[in-house]
Amino acid sequence: MIAKTRKIKDTKGLIRELPSLRYTDAKYLYIGVTNARCDKSEIYINPGDHVKCCQIVGKRFGKFFEQPIHTSCSGTFIGYEEHYHRSGKLVKYMKIENDFKDEYAEYVKERTPEEIAKLTKDDMVEILKNCALVGLGGSSFPTYIKFQTNEKIDTVLINGIECEPYITADHRLMMEFPKRIVTGIKYVMQAFNAKKAYIVIKRKYSDLAEMWNEYLRREENDPLGKNIEIFRTPDFYPQGWEVEMIHAVTGIRLKPGELPTKYGIINFNVSTMVGLYKAIRYNMPVIKRDITITGDGIKYPTNFRVTCGTSVRELIDKCGGYSHPELEKVFILGGPMMGASLPSDDTIITKTVTSVIVLKKTNYKEEQCVRCGSCVLSCPQGLLPVDIMNAVKSVDKEKIKALNPLKCIECGLCTYSCTSKLKVTDYVRRAKLLAKL
């Protein structure tokens, strides 16, 4: 979802200074039967069964991996309901009635520092696999697969850039849970015997830099902690893109198809480090996450720490509801540039949801392309978006493939910069599908 050519009022400064609101009081929680990477599943429980928090109640099947399904509370499995997923489709969710007893599955237990110190990379792979940890910046790529690289890793990069407008959940996470983040980073460094780690943030966030530099000063006597530093990148979009971040920190420019591990680099989102900390320390899957609920359609934009499975409608109510409820709204799951547009607020917070943005709907009239070149100038991959769009319109598959649409990272800048208000990114997405045929 791209906010087209409307100038986005950046609300980051309005809520990033406020502490996150903890909300774990949902009576009903919803666990997706499938997700973006796993379109098949097997469920082990039946309606009426009692479940414990973090209990494995099923398994999802992806194209090249399997993923256990965990509950995020203890209570009773009521049955199934359909709610919107970030794909824009209605999908099946398991409905759990929360008993608020926080009764955990037996396998959830704290490891001692001595036990953790003995863990090998292979040990951590099994832990992360069983805890179903994925990239929590929105990618949802299984973390254990990243850990399986055979390349020698020297440098760990932690992405705290949060470059899209509106979103401030990672900012608050970094302000509120530095110990969890640093401990997670140490576990990664231990696994790979890495020499250096950088927490990457935008240059303009002096508050984060000051806090983190002071926190890391207290790690000077720790063998791993002393090798963790803050790195401040330029303030532009899409600086949070893996390729741009790696180039800014190391000077290395990845070529299309190259993995950073080839250069001894491995990178994770800052939220993933908290999930990794919980997995290694407590053998616990992700059952809570930090999210932003914001936009000009929300009365009181708020950062939350919520239980996974919470209804977005319930959280919007905690934000005071909608501003101007009589006006039609646009709902975006994720950032305004790369997020997914949903038909309504009937969706669920999963562990990979970073934000929900609600905007007052504005109708734009599309004009003919004037060949201004804005989309070409703004493309970080050097593509010709308008040519790709025209090739899609004419269904010219050979030309589509020749224009390399698969290089597109779907940052949305071509649509955002278009003076004719054309939905260029949507055409490029279609071109990527056609190029694979």
Side-chain angles (χ1 to χ4, degrees):
M1 175 66 190
I2 300 93
K4 302 190 183 73
T5 56
R6 183 172 75 184
K7 295 300 180 182
I8 297 174
K9 179 182 178 182
D10 192 343
T11 61
K12 285 189 174 185
L14 300 179
I15 62 173
R16 69 183 175 87
E17 301 296 337
L18 297 174
S20 300
L21 177 64
R22 183 179 177 87
Y23 182 70
T24 57
D25 301 329
K27 182 178 181 181
Y28 296 104
L29 295 167
Y30 303 86
I31 311 299
V33 172
T34 57
N35 62 25
R37 292 186 180 270
C38 303
D39 58 1
K40 296 180 181 179
S41 66
E42 179 183 354
I43 304 302
Y44 306 151
I45 58 175
N46 298 303
D49 287 352
H50 174 76
V51 298
K52 296 180 180 180
C53 186
C54 302
Q55 180 178 329
I56 296 175
V57 295
K59 183 181 290 185
R60 301 187 187 101
F61 301 94
K63 291 183 178 179
F64 56 89
F65 67 93
E66 297 176 355
Q67 186 181 75
I69 303 173
H70 302 92
T71 57
S72 55
C73 71
S74 58
T76 304
F77 174 34
I78 302 299
Y80 297 96
E81 286 187 5
E82 287 190 336
H83 301 276
Y84 284 105
H85 181 261
R86 67 180 180 179
S87 63
K89 299 177 181 178
L90 284 170
V91 299
K92 188 184 291 186
Y93 288 82
M94 290 181 280
K95 183 177 182 180
I96 310 292
E97 184 175 4
N98 192 349
D99 63 10
F100 299 101
K101 293 180 180 179
D102 293 329
E103 182 184 5
Y104 283 86
E106 290 75 10
Y107 73 86
V108 178
K109 57 182 179 179
E110 184 175 5
R111 293 185 174 90
T112 66
E114 292 75 21
E115 289 173 325
I116 294 172
K118 295 178 182 178
L119 294 176
T120 65
K121 180 164 74 84
D122 289 341
D123 293 332
M124 293 190 189
V125 165
E126 286 304 307
I127 293 168
L128 299 177
K129 184 177 182 179
N130 293 333
C131 289
L133 183 66
V134 297
L136 300 182
S139 73
S140 72
F141 187 78
T143 305
Y144 83 89
I145 295 179
K146 271 193 173 184
F147 263 64
Q148 289 180 320
T149 179
N150 293 320
E151 301 283 0
K152 176 69 174 71
I153 301 299
D154 297 312
T155 305
V156 178
L157 300 185
I158 305 302
N159 191 337
I161 296 172
E162 205 166 38
C163 64
E164 287 209 51
Y166 288 109
I167 310 174
T168 55
D170 280 354
H171 191 106
R172 290 311 316 169
L173 180 76
M174 294 179 71
M175 293 295 287
E176 294 167 7
F177 297 105
K179 183 176 181 180
R180 296 181 185 183
I181 294 168
V182 167
T183 306
I185 295 170
K186 289 180 182 179
Y187 294 159
V188 176
M189 296 176 75
Q190 172 186 324
F192 291 99
N193 195 26
K195 298 182 176 69
K196 198 74 180 177
Y198 296 96
I199 302 169
V200 189
I201 63 173
K202 277 193 173 181
R203 191 174 293 155
K204 65 181 179 180
Y205 293 134
S206 298
D207 57 339
L208 272 181
E210 291 172 5
M211 186 280 288
W212 271 92
N213 284 327
E214 175 59 27
Y215 186 87
L216 292 174
R217 190 170 66 85
R218 306 178 187 195
E219 295 283 337
E220 291 176 352
N221 294 324
D222 184 277
L224 295 176
K226 68 180 181 180
N227 293 317
I228 303 174
E229 294 183 12
I230 285 290
F231 187 94
R232 301 170 74 176
T233 67
D235 302 321
F236 66 83
Y237 176 83
Q239 181 62 73
W241 174 35
E242 174 184 79
V243 172
E244 288 293 346
M245 179 184 70
I246 290 171
H247 182 252
V249 180
T250 69
I252 296 169
R253 174 70 69 175
L254 296 182
K255 297 176 183 177
E258 281 189 330
L259 296 176
T261 52
K262 175 183 176 180
Y263 299 96
I265 300 166
I266 195 164
N267 59 290
F268 302 93
N269 179 266
V270 67
S271 296
T272 309
M273 285 300 93
V274 175
L276 187 141
Y277 158 77
K278 287 292 188 74
I280 301 299
R281 183 71 180 273
Y282 300 102
N283 213 39
M284 181 184 292
V286 175
I287 60 171
K288 294 184 178 66
R289 88 145 296 151
D290 293 74
I291 63 160
T292 301
I293 308 286
T294 189
D296 61 15
I298 290 291
K299 192 169 185 179
Y300 304 120
T302 305
N303 281 312
F304 289 94
R305 185 161 182 78
V306 301
T307 306
C308 294
T310 302
S311 164
V312 166
R313 285 179 172 171
E314 196 166 337
L315 293 174
I316 289 173
D317 184 60
K318 297 299 175 184
C319 293
Y322 297 111
S323 62
H324 302 287
E326 73 281 1
L327 299 179
E328 190 175 355
K329 305 292 191 299
V330 173
F331 301 94
I332 306 170
L333 210 62
M337 304 298 285
M338 300 181 73
S341 180
L342 299 183
S344 82
D345 59 2
D346 182 21
T347 188
I348 305 300
I349 298 299
T350 66
K351 60 187 175 184
T352 56
V353 172
T354 59
S355 62
V356 178
I357 299 172
V358 183
L359 302 173
K360 300 171 188 174
K361 185 171 183 179
T362 301
N363 293 313
Y364 293 93
K365 181 182 178 182
E366 292 190 5
E367 306 287 348
Q368 287 190 344
C369 173
V370 295
R371 310 292 294 181
C372 67
S374 295
C375 59
V376 177
L377 292 172
S378 64
C379 180
Q381 286 286 59
L383 298 176
L384 303 173
V386 71
D387 287 355
I388 294 173
M389 177 183 73
N390 291 332
V392 169
K393 287 181 177 180
S394 61
V395 199
D396 188 337
K397 292 184 180 180
E398 292 303 316
K399 186 173 183 180
I400 288 172
K401 292 179 180 179
L403 290 168
N404 296 317
L406 294 177
K407 290 173 61 179
C408 172
I409 63 169
E410 301 184 24
C411 66
L413 282 172
C414 53
T415 293
Y416 184 72
S417 64
C418 180
T419 56
S420 296
K421 305 177 181 63
L422 298 171
K423 299 175 182 177
V424 188
T425 307
D426 289 346
Y427 285 102
V428 180
R429 287 193 182 110
R430 288 163 61 185
K432 292 172 73 172
L433 295 174
L434 292 171
K436 294 177 181 178
L437 298 178

